[in-house]
């Protein structure tokens, strides 16, 4: 083995799971952010975690409201999901810009992409500084799934999004 950089390791560990973090903007609309760093933490109680850059607008929204829905997007919206990961929601309506159809989730003002395989409705329990990111630890409320949707994964160090086939 040879020494490599951590970013190079992301190529060697592909594919990586992709999620779209859905938050509520101050005007009540939904903001979407693409995130590849997430994991299940506990099944009793149900908890997950995800990481976002400290400068992330969606992270700011999670810290302010405490509410978030983490979704696993379907293959049909791969291009839009890639766009959501390279645009800030601070001054952009990503839903309109990328033509993303939204769906409602029972008991939440936050909407999700209609083409989602999984939606995990959460409340932030705490967050921690982890270098240039914050790690958000969340308690899971409701979980929804749609087996008909094909999950997206990040390939080649997060440069491509496609199903794992």
């Amino acid at each position: 083995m040879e020494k490599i950089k951590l970013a190079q390791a992301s190529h060697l560990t592909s594919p990586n799971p992709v999620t779209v973090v859905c938050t509520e903007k101050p005007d009540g609309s939904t903001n979407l952010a693409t995130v590849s760093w997430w994991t299940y933490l506990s099944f009793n109680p149900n908890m997950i975690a995800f990481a976002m850059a400290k400068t992330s607008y969606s992270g700011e929204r999670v810290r302010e409201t405490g509410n978030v829905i983490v979704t696993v997007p379907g293959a049909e919206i791969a291009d839009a999901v890639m766009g959501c990961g390279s645009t800030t929601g601070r001054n952009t309506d990503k839903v309109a810009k990328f033509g993303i159809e939204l769906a409602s989730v029972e008991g939440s003002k936050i909407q999700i992409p209609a083409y989602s395989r999984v939606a995990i409705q959460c409340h932030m329990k705490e967050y921690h500084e982890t270098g240039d990111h914050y790690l958000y630890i969340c308690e899971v409320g409701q979980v929804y799934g749609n087996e008909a949707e094909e999950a997206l994964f990040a390939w080649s160090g997060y440069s491509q999004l496609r199903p794992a086939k």
Side-chain angles (χ1 to χ4, degrees):
M1 294 189 82
E2 63 184 81
K3 287 184 181 180
I4 62 173
K5 295 182 185 275
L6 186 59
Q8 292 171 286
S10 71
H11 286 269
L12 298 178
T13 60
S14 289
N16 296 296
V18 172
T19 63
V20 173
V21 171
C22 309
T23 57
E24 183 182 3
K25 288 183 161 186
D27 67 3
S29 64
T30 295
N31 187 57
L32 307 173
T34 304
V35 172
S36 290
W37 301 324
W38 81 284
T39 190
Y40 298 100
L41 290 180
S42 173
F43 295 118
N44 187 20
N46 289 332
M47 296 176 71
I48 65 167
F50 61 92
M52 299 185 87
K54 287 181 180 178
T55 57
S56 165
Y57 178 63
S58 291
E60 181 181 307
R61 299 305 308 144
V62 173
R63 291 189 307 276
E64 188 172 311
T65 69
N67 297 314
V68 62
I69 300 177
V70 177
T71 66
V72 175
E76 187 161 331
I77 58 171
D79 290 340
V81 171
M82 185 64 90
C84 286
S86 59
T87 308
T88 179
R90 192 175 308 278
N91 51 23
T92 303
D93 180 348
K94 295 182 194 182
V95 173
K97 181 173 182 167
F98 299 111
I100 300 170
E101 180 184 342
L102 295 180
S104 295
V105 174
E106 185 180 329
S108 178
K109 295 178 189 175
I110 302 169
Q111 293 186 300
I112 65 169
Y115 297 99
S116 295
R117 182 170 173 90
V118 172
I120 306 170
Q121 193 174 358
C122 300
H123 185 75
M124 182 189 71
K125 181 177 180 184
E126 58 192 80
Y127 69 97
H128 300 275
E129 183 177 344
T130 55
D132 59 354
H133 283 63
Y134 288 126
L135 178 68
Y136 296 89
I137 297 173
C138 300
E139 297 171 332
V140 173
Q142 298 298 314
V143 181
Y144 303 90
N146 181 355
E147 289 187 33
E149 292 292 337
E150 249 185 315
L152 283 177
F153 291 85
W155 295 82
S156 303
Y158 307 100
S159 66
Q160 300 172 32
L161 298 180
R162 65 176 195 261
K165 288 185 175 181

